[in-house]
Amino acid sequence: MPIYNGAAFLRETLESLLGQTYGDFELIISDNASTDETGEICQEYANGDDRIRYQRLEANLGAVANFNRLIGLAGGQYYKWVAADDMCQPTFLEAALELIESDPDSAWVHSAFGKIDQYGTILDAGDDAADGLAHSRQAGHPRIHHDSQARHQRFQGVLLGTSWCFDVFGLIRKAVLDKALPMPGCYGAEKVLLGELALWGKYRQVPETLCYQRVHSKAAGEMATREQQEAYIAPQRKKKHFAGTRLALLKGHLRSVQNVPMSGLERCLCWSVIGRYMGQVSKWPQLVRSELYHEPIRGTSHIPAAAGKQPKKFHSLPHNQPELRQP
């Protein structure tokens, strides 16, 4: 768990993890020099459960560096990142472990997933009012070509398929993750890692909805300016340059193709996927505006429950309203 100032929902997330039906795991928390109550909450839980290892950094390294450093701290056969505000159903690990062990060709697995708001209300991605959600109508669905035998097709499913990247929080084979390159230091870096994972092996998905992404005003996808995104990713970085984010993502995808052993034909097919990725002309105006005027490319929007419907609640959440951090 990479975390920075995540106290608002941290207790609920920790309870959902520690209540898993499969309990043989280690939870490593890397605190990016939080200034709220995150440290106290983590230490409290670490004192009460020897599966938790809590580390606090002296300075905020940024989100990507914190994600990357955790890989080297873990020693298990399987690995999972977890956001400090998301929720897992009690059987998530058990079901994910069963699926990944049933398919030796899979590099990582996840379950179908949904979204909840700050009160635990399940957001309905199938309703017209939910079109602003990052996952939109594709919430919980597997990627296209996710289990294809062909590397370039799985790679295409990440680069040219759905835009969501929540499956980065799935269960990953540690042996595969150790061979993958670190995520680049830019906003959207998880897509580069997912592209490389797809080159190493298949993606599989448990059909039941066993994980929920929390949508709230402090979530990473809610950052409204490029300055906020930069502060989130690399707060120590001072130099800004034209097309930095898009160029870093492109370099990341090219490096991934070079990093994975494959035949010359397969490599050419993967390069052709990158060519099609770059050739999405309809997206160019938005990208140019983003780089010239520092307009953000938003990943997630908070959408309230559809009007006129009784909202569902995530059943593992307590009924009391969590205390939210003030801006």
Side-chain angles (χ1 to χ4, degrees):
M1 178 186 288
I3 188 170
Y4 174 71
N5 285 356
F9 306 104
L10 179 56
R11 290 182 184 276
E12 297 168 68
T13 298
L14 289 173
E15 291 292 341
S16 82
L17 297 174
L18 299 177
Q20 291 293 302
T21 55
Y22 182 87
D24 185 13
F25 62 86
E26 179 183 39
L27 173 59
I28 307 170
I29 304 175
S30 180
D31 183 354
N32 227 342
S34 293
T35 57
D36 64 356
E37 298 80 23
T38 291
E40 290 83 351
I41 295 172
C42 289
Q43 197 61 63
E44 173 192 333
Y45 275 82
N47 291 340
D49 195 312
D50 59 9
R51 293 176 295 177
I52 300 177
R53 177 151 56 108
Y54 171 64
Q55 294 189 2
R56 177 181 169 84
L57 298 172
E58 294 183 0
N60 185 350
L61 303 180
V64 172
N66 204 15
F67 268 74
N68 284 334
R69 78 178 291 269
L70 275 164
I71 300 172
L73 300 178
Q77 184 178 358
Y78 301 102
Y79 182 95
K80 171 180 164 51
W81 280 292
V82 59
D85 49 5
D86 294 340
M87 302 293 292
C88 292
Q89 295 282 11
T91 58
F92 174 85
L93 280 181
E94 180 181 357
L97 184 62
E98 180 180 356
L99 180 58
I100 199 170
E101 291 195 331
S102 71
D103 183 2
D105 293 330
S106 60
W108 86 110
V109 305
H110 205 343
S111 72
F113 49 88
K115 287 175 177 282
I116 55 175
D117 67 10
Q118 66 265 43
Y119 307 117
T121 302
I122 296 175
L123 302 175
D124 186 358
D127 189 84
D128 290 340
D131 281 342
L133 295 176
H135 304 175
S136 188
R137 301 184 188 279
Q138 301 185 80
H141 292 184
R143 295 181 177 276
I144 59 170
H145 307 310
H146 62 97
D147 58 355
S148 171
Q149 292 291 343
R151 278 193 176 93
H152 73 281
Q153 288 189 343
R154 299 194 303 261
F155 191 54
Q156 174 187 330
V158 175
L159 270 66
L160 299 175
T162 179
S163 61
W164 51 258
C165 292
F166 191 60
D167 43 337
V168 77
F169 291 104
L171 194 67
I172 308 170
R173 291 188 189 276
K174 185 60 161 54
V176 172
L177 192 59
D178 287 339
K179 291 184 290 188
L181 296 170
M183 286 185 282
C186 63
Y187 198 76
E190 64 274 16
K191 191 162 190 173
V192 174
L193 175 63
L194 291 175
E196 182 163 345
L197 290 180
L199 293 173
W200 285 108
K202 300 176 182 178
Y203 169 66
R204 298 289 304 280
Q205 186 165 294
V206 177
E208 293 83 13
T209 301
L210 300 178
C211 194
Y212 288 87
Q213 181 183 19
R214 176 97 62 176
V215 180
H216 59 96
S217 62
K218 299 297 183 182
E222 284 295 320
M223 294 173 181
T225 68
R226 287 284 300 279
E227 287 74 16
Q228 288 175 324
Q229 293 176 359
E230 277 287 323
Y232 170 72
I233 294 297
Q236 308 297 331
R237 183 164 58 199
K238 295 186 169 90
K239 184 179 178 181
K240 310 290 189 299
H241 49 86
F242 179 76
T245 297
R246 298 298 130 187
L247 184 58
L249 292 173
L250 175 59
K251 286 181 177 179
H253 291 311
L254 290 169
R255 289 174 62 219
S256 294
V257 173
Q258 286 298 117
N259 188 49
V260 179
M262 65 182 80
S263 69
L265 175 59
E266 287 177 315
R267 209 176 302 279
C268 288
L269 290 172
C270 290
W271 285 336
S272 72
V273 171
I274 294 177
R276 292 170 60 192
Y277 167 75
M278 294 174 61
Q280 298 175 91
V281 179
S282 62
K283 295 184 178 181
W284 287 5
Q286 182 188 13
L287 296 179
V288 170
R289 287 196 304 270
S290 172
E291 299 300 340
L292 286 178
Y293 306 113
H294 286 194
E295 294 179 2
I297 298 177
R298 299 290 293 274
T300 307
S301 297
H302 169 64
I303 302 295
K309 290 188 176 183
Q310 287 294 323
K312 296 176 285 184
K313 292 285 184 177
F314 181 85
H315 72 82
S316 293
L317 294 183
H319 294 296
N320 57 305
Q321 176 179 329
E323 180 181 352
L324 300 179
R325 287 174 289 142
Q326 297 299 308

